[in-house]
Amino acid sequence: KAGVTQTPRYLIKTRGQQVTLSCSPISGHRSVSWYQQTPGQGLQFLFEYFSETQRNKGNFPGRFSGRQFSNSRSEMNVSTLELGDSALYLCASSVSGGAGYADTQYFGPGTRLTVL
Amino acid sequence: AQSVTQLGSHVSVSEGALVLLRCNYSSSVPPYLFWYVQYPNQGLQLLLKYTSAATLVKGINGFEAEFKKSETSFHLTKPSAHMSDAAEYFCAVRLGGGKLIFGQGTELSVKP
């Protein structure tokens, strides 16, 4: 079974631009979560989607948004990029994510975003 | 609020020595706990998880962790370190709705 894939792997943008990152979950997984990883703040939860609905949201500004499609693929968008948005963005998928607290989240390789 | 604390941002051991990475959690309900490993420029890989079935959990690559409720701990151990174990390790607690709360991570170095 193929793992979680994320595209692109690397991205360079300038301040003020917007960016869209894509995540394809493992086949059969319906929950997709997004995390931001930075040296200073560590791994922080952005949001989670399940059946095309945002089910959980972390403490990030409204510039960070996402969506999920009927095939469970997910995208996250960051508008009006700031220097501090430079980070590794990780996507994780699990079977259900909600009722199954013990569901394992499987992570993709991440997208490395650099904002200049 | 649930949280995770990893004691020691850097741990260095010699090859063949015991690996001990510490994790303490704060949770008002029985927790679901995970250990992940991250190699440079890669995503996170699950090592093991605690789901209340057994307090001693065995994972991949010879790692294991013991859940101790009285100490609110979930320390990760490996009897004999290998050079390939050098990586960053994260302890995490699972909240509802697909949200993981991670510790700050422990970077493990293995000396030959």
Side-chain angles (χ1 to χ4, degrees):
Chain A
K1 208 181 246 190
V4 177
T5 58
Q6 292 186 246
T7 57
R9 290 293 310 278
Y10 301 91
L11 208 48
I12 300 175
K13 292 287 188 178
T14 56
R15 280 181 300 173
Q17 286 187 310
Q18 75 165 20
V19 67
T20 299
L21 311 182
S22 181
C23 171
S24 293
I26 292 171
S27 177
H29 286 195
R30 298 171 63 193
S31 169
V32 174
S33 297
W34 289 88
Y35 296 85
Q36 181 195 64
Q37 185 177 24
T38 60
Q41 298 300 316
L43 280 153
Q44 294 185 286
F45 173 79
L46 280 157
F47 31 65
E48 184 223 0
Y49 285 86
F50 180 78
S51 292
E52 301 179 65
T53 301
Q54 186 180 90
R55 185 162 61 176
N56 233 325
K57 191 177 189 306
N59 296 322
F60 279 82
R63 300 185 296 107
F64 292 82
S65 63
R67 60 177 175 169
Q68 187 180 34
F69 302 95
S70 58
N71 61 358
S72 294
R73 190 177 70 84
S74 177
E75 290 181 345
M76 68 163 281
N77 184 275
V78 188
S79 62
T80 319
L81 283 166
E82 300 177 0
L83 295 179
D85 297 333
S86 294
L88 181 67
Y89 290 89
L90 292 163
C91 163
S93 76
S94 63
V95 174
S96 70
Y101 278 41
D103 263 4
T104 296
Q105 288 196 352
Y106 296 90
F107 284 78
T111 293
R112 173 76 61 185
L113 173 65
T114 301
V115 182
L116 303 176
Chain B
Q2 301 197 34
S3 65
V4 173
T5 302
Q6 290 183 239
L7 300 177
S9 57
H10 292 89
V11 170
S12 182
V13 301
S14 298
E15 193 172 18
L18 171 71
V19 175
L20 171 59
L21 305 182
R22 299 177 188 273
C23 172
N24 287 87
Y25 68 91
S26 168
S27 173
S28 58
V29 298
Y32 290 96
L33 295 160
F34 302 78
W35 274 101
Y36 283 88
V37 61
Q38 185 178 35
Y39 297 99
N41 298 316
Q42 294 187 28
L44 278 68
Q45 179 183 7
L46 179 73
L47 281 175
L48 49 81
K49 65 181 182 182
Y50 168 74
T51 60
S52 76
T55 56
L56 183 62
V57 182
K58 293 188 182 299
I60 62 171
N61 302 338
F63 285 94
E64 62 181 36
E66 186 172 9
F67 174 73
K68 292 187 177 180
K69 185 178 179 180
S70 61
E71 299 177 7
T72 61
S73 70
F74 189 56
H75 301 331
L76 182 71
T77 61
K78 181 174 181 177
S80 177
H82 192 271
M83 296 296 290
S84 61
D85 294 327
E88 189 153 22
Y89 292 79
F90 294 92
C91 183
V93 63
R94 179 68 175 270
L95 302 184
K99 179 178 181 178
L100 283 170
I101 301 297
F102 286 91
Q104 283 298 101
T106 297
E107 185 175 352
L108 175 67
S109 301
V110 182
K111 299 175 291 186

